[in-house]
């Protein structure tokens, strides 16, 4: 695997990340995408893509070039010279959409990472979302109910699209990890309540919210295809589990919600309303979590625009 240092690009060039497999007689291209300009986001993207490529017996390379096509051609030329084969080139199974399209990177790059907390009746979860360069897609790992993971992905994607939110132009990876190390097998009861934290966390990873907006709150709720939040019959048990784990605030569907000792309950009717609650920090009982109690009065954050202090 060859990872070149991040070069100082000219105005007409930039760094591209290339993922594929050197077969010895040709190169099987899996994906090519612009590398994030931010050094931290670039490191995250490379880490995630190298991990996935290694599992598939592939490798990750970077090239500085004016377009994705030129970047891949540069890599193939170097591999051709190393192989000593004049016939060395892209293999027939190569994925050429990004190679042929050569679309420029978006002005605001949706590459990043975010974390949130969620709960089912069995345990609380740490939800991690990473947004990396690549073909637009969503993969969710660690769902307690493993038989129908596509149903969760479909509900989340439909809820985001039907809430008139742009689907991020990136490859999104979501992982759920139980916080209780003694839980070895979740029953799957209440697993649909993980829809809301999955949607919110992936949107935060792509820059829709500040990552600080997710601090101090547990998210519970099933998403309808139109973006509405729905409560399951196990909602109270999930809230009790969250409280027992030390959670102090939770955003839940706005159906009839029972009180739970020690848990500050905030209700939302839809995905967009939950995002607004998080963006304006209304899940924090005292002031703006970014600005502090001494901050002067200012226009509150919205999902589309942060306040001046938060932007700074």
């Amino acid at each position: 695997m060859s990872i070149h240092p991040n070069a100082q690009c000219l105005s007409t060039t930039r760094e591209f990340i290339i993922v594929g497999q050197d077969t010895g007689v040709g190169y099987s291209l899996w994906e090519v995408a612009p590398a994030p300009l931010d050094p931290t986001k670039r490191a995250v993207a490379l880490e995630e893509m190298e991990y996935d490529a290694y599992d598939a017996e592939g490798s990750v390379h970077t090239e500085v070039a004016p377009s994705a096509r030129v970047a891949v051609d540069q890599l193939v030329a170097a591999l051709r010279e190393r192989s000593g084969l004049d016939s060395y080139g892209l293999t027939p199974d190569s994925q050429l959409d990004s190679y042929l399209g050569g679309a420029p990177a978006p002005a605001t790059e949706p590459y990043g990472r975010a974390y949130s907390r969620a709960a089912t009746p069995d345990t609380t979860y740490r939800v991690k979302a990473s947004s990396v360069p690549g073909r637009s897609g969503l993969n969710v790992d660690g769902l307690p109910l493993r038989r129908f993971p596509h149903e969760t992905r479909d509900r989340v994607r439909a809820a985001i699209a039907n809430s008139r939110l742009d689907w991020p132009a990136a490859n999104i990876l979501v992982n759920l990890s139980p916080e209780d190390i003694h839980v070895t097998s979740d029953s799957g009861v209440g697993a649909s309540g993980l829809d809301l934290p999955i949607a919110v966390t992936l949107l935060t990873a792509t820059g829709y919210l500040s990552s600080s907006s997710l601090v101090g709150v547990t998210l519970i709720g099933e998403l309808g295809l139109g973006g509405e939040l729905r409560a399951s019959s196990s909602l109270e048990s999930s809230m009790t589990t969250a409280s027992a784990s030390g959670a102090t605030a939770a955003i839940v569907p706005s159906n009839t919600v029972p009180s739970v000792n020690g848990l500050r309950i905030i209700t939302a009717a839809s995905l967009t309303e939950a995002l607004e609650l998080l963006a304006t920090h209304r899940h924090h009982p005292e002031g703006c979590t970014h600005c502090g109690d001494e901050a002067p009065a200012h226009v509150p954050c919205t999902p589309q625009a942060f306040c001046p202090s938060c932007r700074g």
Side-chain angles (χ1 to χ4, degrees):
M1 183 178 299
S2 172
I3 298 297
H4 304 298
N6 193 14
Q8 180 67 35
C9 300
L10 300 175
S11 60
T12 57
T13 64
R14 67 166 301 164
E15 185 181 39
F16 288 85
I17 300 176
I18 305 169
V19 187
Q21 184 181 53
D22 180 5
T23 67
V25 295
Y27 185 74
S28 178
L29 176 65
W30 299 345
E31 187 56 71
V32 55
L37 299 178
D38 179 84
T40 300
K41 293 180 179 180
R42 175 185 181 272
V44 169
L46 284 172
E47 177 186 350
E48 297 283 356
M49 299 179 84
E50 285 179 348
Y51 181 82
D52 290 342
Y54 179 81
D55 282 349
E57 299 183 353
S59 59
V60 177
H61 303 262
T62 62
E63 292 284 343
V64 175
S67 69
R69 182 166 188 159
V70 173
V72 172
D73 290 345
Q74 288 176 182
L75 173 62
V76 171
L79 294 175
R80 180 186 303 117
E81 182 177 355
R82 189 174 70 184
S83 72
L85 300 173
D86 292 339
S87 60
Y88 190 102
L90 291 175
T91 61
D93 62 345
S94 293
Q95 302 298 315
L96 301 179
D97 291 348
S98 299
Y99 172 79
L100 296 175
T108 302
E109 295 177 320
Y111 308 141
R113 179 179 291 177
Y115 303 89
S116 71
R117 296 183 77 241
T120 65
D122 294 316
T123 186
T124 53
Y125 282 84
R126 181 173 174 83
V127 183
K128 167 191 168 184
S130 296
S131 176
V132 299
R135 185 172 301 164
S136 180
L138 171 62
N139 291 292
V140 182
D141 183 48
L143 282 170
L145 190 59
R146 299 179 184 277
R147 288 177 297 165
F148 307 110
H150 61 280
E151 292 185 0
T152 298
R153 293 197 302 268
D154 291 346
R155 284 198 304 270
V156 169
R157 289 188 69 117
I160 290 175
N162 291 327
S163 297
R164 298 185 179 180
L165 304 173
D166 292 333
W167 183 259
N171 184 22
I172 302 167
L173 313 172
V174 179
N175 177 264
L176 296 93
S177 303
E179 293 187 321
D180 185 346
I181 60 175
H182 302 294
V183 173
T184 57
S185 179
D186 195 315
S187 68
V189 174
S192 61
L194 299 171
D195 291 356
L196 176 62
I198 289 172
V200 167
T201 310
L202 75 85
L203 287 170
T204 302
T206 60
Y208 197 85
L209 290 176
S210 164
S211 58
S212 301
S213 298
L214 305 187
V215 175
V217 65
T218 298
L219 305 170
I220 308 171
E222 178 182 332
L223 286 170
L225 299 182
E228 67 277 8
L229 279 182
R230 302 188 299 214
S232 67
S233 58
S234 59
L235 176 60
E236 183 176 1
S237 297
S238 298
M239 292 164 58
T240 301
T241 298
S243 179
S245 73
T248 58
I251 293 180
V252 300
S254 57
N255 305 62
T256 303
V257 177
S259 61
V260 174
N261 288 336
L263 191 65
R264 181 167 175 256
I265 299 169
I266 305 150
T267 62
S270 64
L271 172 60
T272 52
E273 187 174 341
L275 292 169
E276 290 170 0
L277 290 168
L278 291 163
T280 53
H281 317 301
R282 276 177 272 174
H283 54 297
H284 292 275
E286 297 180 359
C288 175
T289 186
H290 297 272
C291 309
D293 294 336
E294 303 302 321
H298 59 268
V299 176
C301 298
T302 69
Q304 290 75 31
F306 297 132
C307 70
S309 296
C310 295
R311 286 199 302 269

